[in-house]
Amino acid sequence: MTLHPSRSVASATCKALRRYNASAQSVACRLGQPVRQLSTSLARNSEAAEAVESATEQQVRPRWSYTPERMKGPGFSINVVKDRSRTVWHNNEDPAKLDAMYNRLLGSKGDRMLPDEIKWLAITHKSFDQGRRGFNTRLAYFGRLIVSLETTRHIIVAPVTARDPPRDPFGREPFQHSALANIDKLNTRQPIDVVSKEKLAKLAVDVGLPEVVRWKPRMPENLDASGMTVVLNTALFAIIGAISLQHGAEVAQQVVREKILRRLGA
């Protein structure tokens, strides 16, 4: 008979482990306590429980109100701040104040035109929280195109005061047609003349947008030099872009005509 010492040792070890487990279970049953099973998945279970707990906590808090944990840095900044007073800046966190601004801008029930998350995103500049909560750059680009298109259309269809044509020394009369009457209007008036940055910034101040817009000025003691006019224009354009994506182009064009161009005296 050929001897296999490795197999005999392995079988003896397995038999000893079975006897130990059986005796341990019998003792545990007599003591009335459950047997604790050792498993390598304990660490994974604890990590999964922590992930579920953090996900539940994030569901309770709205997305606009906190910075995602994975986007936070190591706790320090590599930027050397020369003036510590410029790092202090407080932004609005009151939803009621934000809804009041939307009602002043869009009219009654204007705060219901957009979801809560989009309402905060539209007034968030990329300088706020280093852009980690989202920002309104792409919405503003889309909204700027809508405002420019609607302003151009308004200039073209606006009636022109009748003027006497210049006299021709040879007594000739130029050809007149209703289809050609609007061609030369954009030579005398451009959309930027109607919706300039200064006019839009004044409109934003009238509806209370500076009190709710989220941004971080470079110089809190001088907001104009920090680019507040551009920030307010960007927020207005972003609101129009968000309305277009939420309700369609027709609603966005109506908002531009009634809530922006009419207020600017166009």
Side-chain angles (χ1 to χ4, degrees), residues 16-71:
L17 289 175
R18 289 197 206 97
R19 289 196 219 97
Y20 173 77
N21 290 334
S23 61
Q25 290 178 1
S26 61
V27 172
C29 293
R30 288 197 301 268
L31 294 177
Q33 297 179 356
V35 179
R36 181 180 179 183
Q37 299 290 336
L38 297 179
S39 175
T40 57
S41 62
L42 292 178
R44 296 179 181 178
N45 293 336
S46 61
E47 292 177 0
E50 293 177 358
V52 171
E53 184 178 357
S54 61
T56 305
E57 183 180 358
Q58 291 178 3
Q59 290 177 359
V60 174
R61 295 184 298 170
R63 172 66 180 83
W64 56 265
S65 63
Y66 68 96
T67 303
E69 297 296 332
R70 293 187 177 183
M71 298 190 70

Side-chain angles (χ1 to χ4, degrees), residues 210-236:
E211 286 76 20
V212 297
V213 66
R214 301 200 296 182
W215 69 305
K216 174 61 179 68
R218 183 171 61 90
M219 296 179 291
E221 70 278 3
N222 191 347
L223 298 181
D224 292 335
S226 299
M228 188 174 186
T229 301
V230 177
V231 171
L232 295 179
N233 278 258
T234 302
L236 282 178

Side-chain angles (χ1 to χ4, degrees), residues 36 44 47 54 73 78 88-89 120-121 132 144 159 162 197 215 233 248:
R36 181 180 179 183
R44 296 179 181 178
E47 292 177 0
S54 61
I78 61 175
V88 180
W89 180 258
W120 286 98
L121 180 64
R132 294 180 295 186
R144 183 182 292 106
K197 293 182 180 180
W215 69 305
N233 278 258

